[in-house]
Amino acid sequence: MKAVVYRGARHLGVEEREPAAPGRGEVRISVAYTGICGTDLHIYHGDMDSRVGADAIIGHEMSGRIAALGEDVTGWSVGQPVTVLPTRWCGRCAACQRGHSHICHAMNFLGIDSPGAMQSSWNVPAELVLPLPEELPLDQGALVEPVAVAVHDVRRGQVASGDHVVVVGGGPIGVLIGTVAQGRGARVLLVEPDPARRAVAGEVGIEAVDPGAVDVAAFVADRTDGAGADVAFEVSGAAAGVGTAVEVLAARGRLVMVAIHPRPREVNLHRFFWRELELLGARLYQRDDMVEAIRLVASGAIPARQLISRVEPPEAATEAFTALEGGGVMKVLLDWQEGDR
């Protein structure tokens, strides 16, 4: 088997390893595709070395087929297409006891805290595996996890039909949030400075504006008869994005914080007071979100094919990461199917 190994900031290697047999309660998956996400970029930049050790196998967006079953595993068959819910919770902490296991205080996130999906053969606990429809192409199946993020975020924001929604940041998650929100009947505006990403948003039916060319708050006020947006999603991770997301909201509007901000940001709390705004965090997702994401991707409600910008072999992992951090692309996948390339 092959594995992409994180060896330190901006240093990846590709290694040949012997695949291990699945343990009790595990399945071995022949990975087909692994997606690279913003969290993976944070790891690549060395920002998460406190959780990710040297020679770690990262990655958590994936699709593949079951290759072998460990002892005591039933209900699965070899060759079955699957994806993985990459979160293991303790069941004992305060968050788990309150029914919030997806933000467990002792979370083991596969691909960060333990080996992930950037390997051609991956052993995972059977309870974390979800079936994919046989007819769903596996490259599109690799987008289920980021779609689950968007499903959870839109649920967190309580988006309803007729709502005016502003998404600040037009990367893959921002576009997916916009797509899921539109599927609920919301009117969506995406704010994104990168012209290539605005073009992709337009191709999938999402209106997008350049914050460098448009006064976004005035634009939103004009389209809402002065009221403002019902919900804003901050997905950019930039200080300016936070300011924009706060500024566009209507009275009692909801701001959903999706992006990972590596440092504290200045926030206009007076506007929160003045308009009685709400701030909601959205960190991960629950199993129901993954199930809904599979349904949306399989039904064609998510334009998965249009969001895949590049597919690279594992040997080109560094180039794949570089392409993603350079902007101008959406989803970048690693293809582990040597015989099919």
Side-chain angles (χ1 to χ4, degrees), residues 21-29 66-78 80 82 123-129:
R24 182 188 297 270
E26 292 185 332
V27 300
R28 180 158 61 88
I29 299 174
I66 291 180
L69 305 178
E71 191 176 349
D72 296 335
V73 174
T74 59
W76 297 99
S77 58
V78 171
Q80 190 171 358
V82 295
N123 291 336
V124 299
E127 68 266 19
L128 301 183
V129 179

Side-chain angles (χ1 to χ4, degrees), residues 55-74:
D55 295 327
I57 298 174
I58 64 174
H60 54 273
E61 301 179 3
M62 60 77 62
S63 64
R65 292 184 181 274
I66 291 180
L69 305 178
E71 191 176 349
D72 296 335
V73 174
T74 59

Side-chain angles (χ1 to χ4, degrees), residues 1 4 12 19-20 27 35-36 51-52 78 123 143 146 175 184 204 217 259 291 298 321 330:
M1 58 167 279
V4 171
L12 301 173
V27 300
I36 304 171
R51 291 176 65 185
V52 180
V78 171
N123 291 336
L143 270 65
V175 171
R184 289 194 167 201
V204 302
V291 172
F321 272 78
M330 298 298 280

Side-chain angles (χ1 to χ4, degrees), residues 51 245 271 341:
R51 291 176 65 185
R271 193 166 183 86
R341 286 205 296 269

Side-chain angles (χ1 to χ4, degrees), residues 254-268:
R254 299 178 295 281
L255 169 57
V256 183
M257 187 59 63
V258 178
I260 298 174
H261 286 262
R263 60 185 62 86
R265 302 297 192 191
E266 186 173 304
V267 179
N268 184 354

Side-chain angles (χ1 to χ4, degrees), residues 304-319:
R305 181 73 70 191
Q306 292 167 270
L307 297 181
I308 299 172
S309 301
R310 292 177 61 161
V311 179
E312 300 287 355
E315 293 80 5
T318 298
E319 291 83 350

